[in-house]
Amino acid sequence: MSIHIGAKPGDIAETVLLPGDPLRAKYVAETFLDDAVCYNQVRGMLGYTGTWKGKRVSVQGTGMGIPSHLIYVHELLADYGVKRVIRVGSCGSLQPDINLNDIVIAMSASTDSNVNRLRFGGADFAPCADYQLFSRACAVAQEKAIPFRAGNILSTDVFYGDDPDGWKLWARFGVLAVEMETNGLYTEAARAGAQALCILTVSDSLVTHANLSSEERELTFGSMMEIALELAR
Ligand code: HPA
């Protein structure tokens, strides 16, 4: 086992889906996977391995924010031979034409976090999605007639910020949506030579202040999972 994941070598598949919420990991395992087995309960950050259409796939909760997310992604890549990490999460829309329930596929992830500047001695790394995963995800969405937007997103360190208009600068530069993990995910995968992608469902809008109830979130979660699971095949 590694420090935060209580799995044995071989317990975790080469492709891992990464929801922030550990109970979402349980829900995905129970709803979409066959023969799912729980391999991690350390800190309640549940992780499962099962099969989807005959292909082995794992799903691991990561918690919220880049520091928590990085702990799990680092251990998956460094200690369990994981090759493909796919975040499935929620985001806030920063654009008037991106609505609740829409799907956003992150080509790149900007950030207000200092984590990468710590890593790169004050310089800025530009984290981007793995092109193969990204182009396949777009193709799957098109085949299934699932509408989506693709582009730059913002991974923020601050959910409850003090400046209510702080997001508008990012929006003016075309950033589609805000969440809290992907800048770390894409960087850590690059370091390990692994493939990474982030697929998001819009759960709230900073433009209109609308938001989804947790029941409503479940409904659109399915489209995001359909795309993500196809990438494991
Ligand atoms: N801000 C940050 N992270 C988020 C949001 C948001 O509005 N919505 C979903 N994740």
Side-chain angles (χ1 to χ4, degrees):
M1 78 171 272
S2 54
I3 294 175
H4 301 90
I5 301 176
K8 297 188 298 298
D11 282 352
I12 303 180
E14 287 191 351
T15 301
V16 183
L17 308 185
L18 302 168
D21 179 356
L23 291 179
R24 202 33 89 88
K26 182 170 192 276
Y27 173 83
V28 168
E30 288 172 354
T31 309
F32 298 99
L33 302 186
D34 294 321
D35 307 317
V37 173
C38 180
Y39 63 74
N40 188 52
Q41 298 194 50
V42 177
R43 289 178 182 249
M45 203 59 83
L46 302 170
Y48 298 81
T49 299
T51 59
W52 189 78
K53 297 192 179 173
K55 173 80 184 174
R56 230 170 146 242
V57 54
S58 296
V59 53
Q60 171 68 56
T62 69
M64 290 177 280
I66 290 172
S68 177
H69 191 77
L70 279 181
I71 285 173
Y72 294 97
V73 173
H74 180 93
E75 291 182 22
L76 289 170
L77 297 175
D79 300 322
Y80 296 99
V82 170
K83 304 251 184 298
R84 228 162 283 110
V85 274
I86 302 165
R87 168 162 153 69
V88 282
S90 61
C91 64
S93 167
L94 300 184
Q95 300 293 338
D97 59 345
I98 298 184
N99 301 307
L100 297 183
N101 295 320
D102 284 357
I103 287 188
V104 172
I105 305 179
M107 294 171 75
S108 56
S110 302
T111 193
D112 53 23
S113 165
N114 224 30
V115 168
N116 268 357
R117 290 198 173 167
L118 286 173
R119 250 188 221 263
F120 289 95
D124 292 313
F125 179 74
C128 65
D130 174 77
Y131 179 71
Q132 248 189 330
L133 283 184
F134 174 76
S135 56
R136 273 179 58 210
C138 296
V140 168
Q142 276 156 357
E143 274 162 31
K144 293 179 181 287
I146 299 170
F148 67 94
R149 293 284 296 271
N152 194 3
I153 63 164
L154 170 64
S155 303
T156 185
D157 265 358
V158 184
F159 188 89
Y160 295 109
D162 289 307
D163 176 3
D165 292 329
W167 60 273
K168 289 182 180 169
L169 180 64
W170 300 98
R172 195 182 313 145
F173 282 73
V175 174
L176 302 179
V178 56
E179 49 83 87
M180 301 185 72
E181 292 83 17
T182 303
N183 178 277
L185 173 71
Y186 286 179
T187 305
E188 192 66 29
R191 181 180 183 274
Q195 295 180 291
L197 184 66
C198 168
I199 308 171
L200 300 163
T201 303
V202 177
S203 61
D204 57 278
S205 168
L206 281 80
V207 182
T208 64
H209 305 289
N211 55 68
L212 291 181
S213 66
S214 46
E215 297 81 46
E216 287 170 324
R217 279 182 207 205
E218 305 250 301
L219 291 176
T220 42
F221 190 70
S223 303
M224 178 170 67
M225 291 309 304
E226 271 189 68
I227 302 171
L229 284 163
E230 278 297 334
L231 302 179
R233 279 221 277 186

